[in-house]
């Protein structure tokens, strides 16, 4: 089983002297000439598409428009929830919003999904870079409109960015720390100023943030959750909906930007409908009946054994695997290291030894998965083998402040004998626990404080129970009492926001170019902000310094090297028990869509790039 994608990588979505110097370094001279109007941005200055491009290569400019796409969202971000919703405000911490609210909002620029980080103009026709990269001037398209017909102006942009910095979801607010201010230069020209201590990634993150109507949010309180669909300017707007059951996004027929090169061949469906289910099995049953027409499968058991129903056998439903070339992200059980019982890395490492992945993959996953080792799995950011000279150069200043193993082979999770209770690994775990001061009192493991070691696996998915219970059985063999706690979606998110958990399973997507929102997975201050992504509560100045190194790198290769050095330190900390990954998207669909067999390298936005095929739909009885 693989959890759905967590924090989204879409357009919404992202201590030492050396680090201090890097953070203050000017924008790369090769990236831009001061005052030059540019049609696109990238962190390291490289752009695939010229100013006169007509569409992204991965989009089909001849895709027909119309039809309906019905699915359960496989990815989400901010306060979005795939099990229920009670608000349409997706950009604050309060409430549960439906996935894909971002479809309703335009941004200054949008990602090219066949480049690591490049962005091209949507609301902004062009951008100028001044003051050595501390000021970005966005030149807006005068034709841009909100759905009520009012203009999108520089006032709206300036207002939105400051509003998000002050009141936005922590995953937005935290990265905007180095946003200094905004200035309206004229009706369609706005300057965004940064402190000079910002990373190169931050202006691109800002360019991908939603732009709100100043007039609308002057009248309505942005900080409140609400079921009133907000005024927006994107290609879709909220249509029919029923709380906790479904929401429809209806295509805006007179959308001002529909013919821009960044959108040609995209947003092809007339209606995008998201269905909500408390359990994945219920969602699967809805798909079998045709109530859902697209389903990305995250359960290996279901994929291997349950796609044998009549619609598959007669060809109305087809099964496909699409390549997933993105970093696989970080999926695992995260320890809450704010708790004393998880403060010792030897204890965390020992608990990890009790998870028998090889047995689980054979017995539960039908051999479909690979073991995750790193936050940067399936990418060039992942450390391997002995550290080469360039990584050692970054790590040497921290010798004595990090475990010695950081300077050796990159840590790998232990490989079991597939028995389900590898006695050798459990003996090694017991030895680590003894070294940490734990002793056995009969069948109970007692810590240096005289208290038994007990903890809870917090989850909102019943599907994880069959995986966690065998793990708990192995922990019992070590004298550790653990239990699996299933809670409803609202309680689960609330407890994560408040860091009110012992151990929880989560998946975080990682960008191919590290960005400010990635910082908040690991840096110390993010572990203290409710609703932040540093679930483990990592608090290590070495990690902070290496994150700064990676984010302030001058070249892409420098970033890769710093990320690999960071990876070695993170893996030595044993902040999580890595789970598994699969470098493909396992997809089942009612055969009524058109699509490319090769999705863009850096994302899989089916609802944006696919299209309704009327002829196919007629053949399987779903035309009309």
């Amino acid at each position: 089983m693989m959890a759905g994608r967590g924090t989204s990588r879409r357009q919404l979505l992202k201590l030492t002297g050396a680090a201090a110097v890097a953070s203050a370094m000017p924008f790369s001279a090769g990236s831009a000439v001061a005052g030059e109007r540019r049609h696109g941005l990238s962190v390291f200055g490289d752009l695939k598409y010229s100013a006169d491009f007509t569409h992204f290569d991965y989009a089909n400019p001849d895709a027909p428009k119309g039809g309906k796409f019905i699915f359960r969202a496989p990815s989400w971000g901010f306060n979005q929830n795939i099990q229920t919703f009670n608000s349409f405000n997706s950009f604050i911490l309060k409430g549960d919003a439906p996935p894909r609210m971002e479809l309703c909002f335009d941004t200054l620029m949008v990602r090219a999904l066949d480049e690591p980080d490049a962005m091209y103009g949507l609301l902004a026709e062009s951008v100028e870079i001044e003051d050595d990269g501390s000021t970005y001037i966005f030149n807006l398209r005068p034709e841009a409109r909100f759905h009520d017909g009012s203009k999108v102006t520089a006032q709206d942009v300036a207002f939105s960015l400051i509003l998000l910095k002050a009141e936005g979801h922590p995953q937005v607010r935290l990265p905007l720390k180095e946003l200094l201010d905004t200035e309206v230069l004229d009706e369609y020209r706005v300057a965004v100023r940064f402190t000079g201590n910002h990373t190169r990634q931050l202006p691109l993150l800002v360019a991908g943030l939603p732009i709100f109507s100043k007039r609308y949010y002057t009248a309505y309180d942005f900080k409140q959750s609400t079921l009133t669909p907000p005024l927006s300017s994107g290609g879709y707007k909220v249509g029919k909906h029923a709380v906790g059951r479904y929401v429809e996004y209806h295509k805006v027929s007179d959308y001002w930007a529909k013919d821009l090169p960044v959108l040609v061949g995209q947003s092809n469906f007339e209606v995008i409908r998201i269905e909500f289910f408390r359990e994945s099995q219920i969602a699967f049953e809805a798909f079998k009946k045709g109530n859902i027409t697209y389903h990305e499968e995250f359960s290996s058991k279901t994929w291997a054994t349950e796609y044998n129903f009549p619609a598959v056998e007669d060809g109305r439903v087809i099964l496909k695997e699409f390549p997933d070339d993105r970093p696989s992200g970080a999926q695992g059980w995260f320890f809450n290291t704010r708790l004393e019982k998880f403060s010792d890395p030897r204890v965390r490492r020992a608990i990890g030894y009790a998870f028998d992945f090889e047995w689980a993959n054979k017995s539960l996953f039908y051999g479909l998965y690979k073991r995750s080792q790193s936050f940067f799995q399936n990418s060039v950011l992942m450390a391997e083998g002995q550290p080469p000279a360039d990584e050692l150069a970054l790590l040497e200043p921290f010798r004595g402040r990090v475990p010695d193993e950081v300077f050796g082979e990159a840590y790998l999770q232990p490989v079991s004998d597939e028995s389900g209770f590898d006695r050798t690994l459990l003996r090694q775990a017991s030895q680590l626990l003894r070294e940490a001061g734990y002793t056995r009192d009969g069948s109970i493991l007692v810590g240096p404080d005289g208290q038994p070691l007990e903890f809870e696996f917090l989850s909102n998915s019943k599907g994880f129970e069959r995986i966690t219970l065998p793990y708990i059985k192995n922990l019992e063999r070590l004298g550790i009492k653990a239990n699996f706690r299933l809670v409803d979606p609202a309680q689960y998110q609330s407890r994560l926001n408040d860091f009110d958990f012992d151990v929880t399973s989560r998946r975080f997507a990682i960008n191919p170019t590290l960005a400010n929102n990635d910082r908040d997975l690991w840096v110390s201050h993010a572990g203290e902000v409710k609703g932040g992504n540093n679930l483990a509560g990592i608090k290590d100045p070495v990690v902070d310094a290496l994150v700064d190194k990676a984010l302030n790198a001058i070249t892409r290769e420098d970033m890769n090297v710093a990320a690999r050095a960071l990876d070695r330190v993170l893996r030595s900390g044993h902040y999580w028990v890595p789970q598994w990954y699969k470098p493909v998207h396992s997809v089942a669909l009612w055969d009524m869509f058109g699509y490319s067999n090769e999705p863009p390298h850096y994302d899989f936005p089916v609802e944006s790039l696919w299209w309704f095929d009327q002829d196919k739909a007629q053949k399987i009885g779903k035309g009309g």
Side-chain angles (χ1 to χ4, degrees):
M1 179 175 191
M2 180 178 284
R5 300 261 172 188
T7 305
S8 173
R9 288 170 294 176
R10 300 189 182 186
Q11 59 193 3
L12 284 182
L13 311 144
K14 148 173 359 266
L15 293 166
T16 66
V21 170
S23 66
M25 293 183 102
F27 193 83
S28 173
S31 301
V33 176
E36 175 190 9
R37 291 198 172 197
R38 294 173 57 85
H39 69 290
L41 294 174
S42 76
V43 171
F44 298 108
D46 47 335
L47 295 173
K48 172 182 177 179
Y49 295 96
S50 62
D52 60 352
F53 82 103
T54 57
H55 62 87
F56 292 132
D57 290 346
Y58 52 82
N60 177 10
D62 300 318
K65 307 295 184 182
K68 181 181 287 190
F69 186 77
I70 310 173
F71 72 134
R72 187 192 195 205
S75 60
W76 59 96
F78 305 135
N79 69 349
Q80 295 173 1
N81 195 319
I82 63 165
Q83 295 179 309
T84 188
F85 71 96
N86 53 35
S87 174
F88 287 122
N89 190 343
S90 186
F91 306 106
I92 60 173
L93 181 59
K94 186 176 181 179
D96 295 282
R100 302 301 181 269
M101 275 301 296
E102 60 270 23
L103 294 172
C104 302
F105 292 88
D106 283 328
T107 55
L108 291 168
M109 309 181 85
V110 296
R111 278 281 313 278
L113 301 179
D114 52 355
E115 299 180 77
D117 53 45
M119 302 186 78
Y120 298 86
L122 177 56
L123 285 171
E125 183 176 30
S126 62
V127 60
E128 304 162 41
I129 305 171
E130 297 184 345
D131 302 328
D132 289 331
S134 290
T135 299
Y136 281 63
I137 298 174
F138 292 94
N139 302 296
L140 306 183
R141 300 182 192 272
E143 65 269 31
R145 293 290 187 275
F146 289 105
H147 293 152
D148 66 353
S150 60
K151 297 178 181 179
V152 181
T153 70
Q155 290 278 359
D156 299 304
V157 174
F159 168 82
S160 299
L161 299 182
I162 297 303
L163 180 66
L164 286 167
K165 177 179 178 178
E167 308 290 355
H169 191 282
Q171 293 170 22
V172 178
R173 193 173 72 245
L174 287 173
L176 294 182
K177 177 183 176 183
E178 303 300 333
L179 170 63
L180 185 62
D181 61 29
T182 58
E183 181 184 357
V184 175
L185 303 179
D186 63 37
E187 188 174 17
Y188 300 114
R189 191 168 157 84
V190 59
V192 181
R193 296 193 175 89
F194 302 95
T195 63
N197 293 320
H198 62 287
T199 63
R200 289 190 189 85
Q201 294 86 344
L202 183 55
L204 276 72
L205 183 146
V206 166
L209 291 175
I211 300 304
F212 308 123
S213 164
K214 179 179 180 180
R215 177 175 57 84
Y216 181 87
Y217 279 111
T218 299
Y220 294 92
D221 187 356
F222 177 73
K223 299 189 298 297
Q224 296 302 313
S225 59
T226 176
L227 283 169
T228 300
L231 176 63
S232 53
S233 64
Y236 289 86
K237 58 184 177 181
V238 175
K240 294 191 297 182
H241 56 275
V243 171
R245 292 178 51 210
Y246 70 88
V247 61
E248 291 187 351
Y249 298 106
H250 292 183
K251 189 175 176 65
V252 177
S253 59
D254 59 349
Y255 178 40
W256 71 272
K258 63 180 183 297
D259 296 322
L260 290 182
V262 293
L263 296 179
V264 167
Q266 302 181 59
S267 302
N268 302 313
F269 294 106
E270 187 68 26
V271 175
I272 295 174
R273 178 177 171 121
I274 294 178
E275 296 279 350
F276 292 82
F277 303 92
R278 294 300 178 104
E279 294 294 340
S280 57
Q281 186 62 35
I282 300 174
F284 178 59
E285 294 300 324
F287 172 75
K288 289 164 64 175
K289 295 174 182 177
N291 296 333
I292 292 176
T293 53
Y294 170 91
H295 184 66
E296 183 167 359
E297 185 57 70
F298 295 105
S299 167
S300 56
K301 178 179 183 292
T302 303
W303 185 250
T305 66
E306 297 188 36
Y307 282 88
N308 52 9
F309 50 93
V312 173
E313 294 172 350
D314 64 25
R316 287 176 294 154
V317 167
I318 58 177
L319 311 181
K320 292 186 69 68
E321 289 191 334
F322 294 88
D324 186 356
D325 298 314
R326 302 170 296 175
S328 293
Q331 178 174 314
W333 285 286
F334 288 83
F335 295 104
N336 187 350
T337 65
R338 301 167 189 82
L339 305 176
E340 180 61 30
K341 58 188 169 186
F342 296 132
S343 62
D344 191 322
R346 293 171 296 187
V347 173
R348 304 193 295 266
R349 182 172 181 173
I351 291 173
Y353 274 39
F355 174 55
D356 192 331
F357 167 76
E358 285 69 31
W359 174 84
N361 196 35
K362 178 184 69 173
S363 304
L364 303 177
F365 303 153
Y366 299 85
L368 294 177
Y369 292 124
K370 298 179 180 180
R371 183 74 191 269
S372 292
Q373 303 288 348
S374 163
F375 281 93
F376 306 113
Q377 193 74 42
N378 200 38
S379 80
V380 297
L381 306 175
M382 177 179 167
E384 296 186 273
Q386 293 280 343
D390 49 7
E391 293 176 39
L392 282 174
L394 292 179
L395 292 168
E396 279 295 344
F398 306 114
R399 191 178 284 275
R401 299 169 59 190
V402 296
D404 290 341
E405 67 184 69
V406 167
F407 300 94
E409 293 280 336
Y411 181 78
L412 296 175
Q413 297 299 318
V415 177
S416 79
D417 61 8
E418 298 186 355
S419 67
F421 52 97
D422 188 315
R423 289 181 173 85
T424 299
L425 292 182
L426 293 177
R427 281 196 298 269
Q428 292 174 4
S430 293
Q431 178 61 33
L432 286 167
L433 292 165
R434 284 194 295 272
E435 292 172 5
Y438 282 81
T439 57
R440 291 292 288 263
D441 182 2
S443 62
I444 299 173
L445 190 70
V446 178
D449 58 0
Q451 298 299 313
L453 181 53
E454 302 177 351
F455 65 87
E456 175 183 272
F457 289 92
L458 182 69
S459 180
N460 66 341
S461 172
K462 186 172 178 57
F464 261 84
E465 188 170 21
R466 73 186 184 100
I467 302 162
T468 310
L469 291 183
Y471 188 8
I472 289 173
K473 187 66 176 177
N474 271 347
L475 291 169
E476 288 177 356
R477 293 184 170 103
L478 294 174
I480 299 170
K481 182 180 179 181
N483 64 80
F484 179 82
R485 177 74 179 275
L486 181 67
V487 297
D488 66 69
Q491 183 182 358
Y492 177 76
Q493 192 58 54
S494 175
R495 288 186 61 175
L496 261 57
N497 289 343
D498 292 337
F499 305 126
D500 178 20
F501 66 91
D502 294 334
V503 176
T504 192
S505 181
R506 195 73 166 179
R507 188 184 192 286
F508 293 103
I510 305 293
N511 295 302
T513 301
L514 294 181
N516 290 70
N517 52 326
D518 296 310
R519 175 198 296 274
D520 296 322
L521 293 170
W522 310 298
V523 296
S524 299
H525 72 84
E528 301 170 356
V529 178
K530 290 186 176 183
N533 277 336
N534 186 351
L535 284 182
I538 300 170
K539 195 170 186 178
D540 184 347
V542 175
V543 169
D544 296 345
L546 289 172
V547 169
D548 281 343
K549 277 283 191 181
L551 290 181
N552 293 300
I554 300 300
T555 67
R556 185 170 297 280
E557 182 54 29
D558 288 344
M559 179 197 70
N560 294 343
V561 170
R564 291 192 285 264
L566 169 65
D567 188 30
R568 293 178 186 276
V569 175
L570 288 171
R571 285 156 77 172
S572 74
H574 307 286
Y575 298 107
W576 62 323
V577 180
Q579 292 175 347
W580 46 84
Y581 75 101
K582 184 171 60 171
V584 294
H585 297 277
S586 299
V587 166
L589 59 136
W590 287 80
D591 191 14
M592 53 193 290
F593 304 114
Y595 50 85
S596 167
N597 286 315
E598 294 292 330
H601 193 88
Y602 294 109
D603 211 344
F604 191 55
V606 172
E607 64 274 25
S608 298
L609 294 179
W610 287 20
W611 59 91
F612 181 76
D613 188 315
Q614 181 67 41
D615 292 338
K616 286 184 177 181
Q618 292 283 5
K619 289 179 181 178
I620 65 170
K622 284 188 172 289

